[in-house]
Amino acid sequence: MKTPLHDASARQHSGEPSSGLAANDGRKDRPRNRDLAKLDGEIAGLAGQPTQELRRVWRTFYHTGPPLGLSRDLIIRGVADKLQLRAHGGPSRALQRRVRILADEFEKGVCSFDPGGTLKTGATLVRQWRGHTHTVLVREEGFEYEGQRYRSLTVIAERITGAHWSGPRFFGLGKRARAS
C-alpha cells in the first residue's frame, strides 16, 4: 500500500502548479526573480523617457520637483534609487543609527574612526566586577543598565567602578577583542 503524499508534493510530481510559493520558498523579505527582472526593466526604461516625464516621476517620489540644474543623468539615478528602495526596502534602523554616529564623528573632525565593530541592537554585554555580574542591553538609541537608559558605555563603566574607564574597553570591546 502506498503512503499518502503531501498535497504539495503530489502536485509537484503530477506537473501541476505547486502551493503558490515563490522561487524563494515563500520568504516575503526578498523580491522574487520576476520582480527583480521587472525592476531592472523599469530602471533601464528610464533612459528612454523624455526629461519632462522623468521630472514628473521625480515629483511623485520626492513630493517636490528636482533641484534646478540637476542633470538628466542624476534625475534618472534619483528615480532609480527610489524604485530600488520601494522594491527592497530601506536601511535598517541600526544601520541608520550607525551612519548618524559616523556622520557626527566626521563633522567633529574625528577622521580615524573604525566603522567595524558595531554593536547590534538587542545585544547583551556582561561583565564581572568585584564579585558582581553587570549586564547592559544595547538599545536603538543607547544602552540600558539596571532599568535606566544611557547614551554611553563609559558612563555605565564609571558608575560600576567609581572611576573613569573607557566603556568599550571595560566591556571588552577594544581592538584586541574585535581582532580575535
Side-chain angles (χ1 to χ4, degrees):
M1 178 173 169
K2 283 188 168 179
T3 57
L5 292 173
H6 183 271
D7 192 25
S9 66
R11 281 193 299 269
Q12 280 179 330
H13 293 301
S14 69
E16 294 178 37
S18 64
S19 62
L21 294 179
N24 59 5
D25 298 321
R27 294 182 301 249
K28 294 185 190 312
D29 58 339
R30 294 186 199 149
R32 291 183 261 163
N33 287 340
R34 277 189 308 233
D35 296 338
L36 290 176
K38 182 179 175 191
L39 174 65
D40 288 344
E42 282 183 72
I43 292 172
L46 291 175
Q49 293 191 9
T51 305
Q52 292 297 46
E53 177 63 18
L54 292 172
R55 291 178 188 277
R56 187 193 65 73
V57 174
W58 178 285
R59 275 191 291 281
T60 61
F61 282 128
Y62 290 95
H63 306 290
T64 184
L68 291 176
L70 193 66
S71 70
R72 175 182 165 81
D73 181 57
L74 288 178
I75 294 173
I76 291 171
R77 288 172 188 255
V79 170
D81 179 60
K82 287 295 186 176
L83 288 170
Q84 290 172 337
L85 284 174
R86 186 177 66 188
H88 299 290
S92 68
R93 287 185 178 185
L95 179 60
Q96 290 174 356
R97 182 179 111 218
R98 183 63 181 151
V99 168
R100 268 196 317 272
I101 290 169
L102 291 174
D104 290 344
E105 288 178 8
F106 182 76
E107 287 177 5
K108 291 176 188 172
V110 178
C111 294
S112 62
F113 55 82
D114 180 14
T118 60
L119 295 171
K120 291 187 177 184
T121 302
T124 304
L125 306 174
V126 180
R127 173 67 149 91
Q128 291 276 21
W129 180 257
R130 296 194 176 163
H132 297 284
T133 302
H134 301 275
T135 305
V136 174
L137 181 64
V138 179
R139 293 281 185 192
E140 188 70 32
E141 296 294 329
F143 306 93
E144 183 177 321
Y145 173 68
E146 292 184 341
Q148 293 184 357
R149 300 241 174 160
Y150 296 90
R151 293 179 57 97
S152 163
L153 279 176
T154 300
V155 175
I156 297 170
E158 191 169 343
R159 181 171 168 208
I160 292 170
T161 64
H164 179 73
W165 269 78
S166 161
R169 189 172 192 181
F170 179 78
F171 286 99
L173 302 174
K175 290 184 180 177
R176 285 188 195 158
R178 276 184 262 168
S180 57

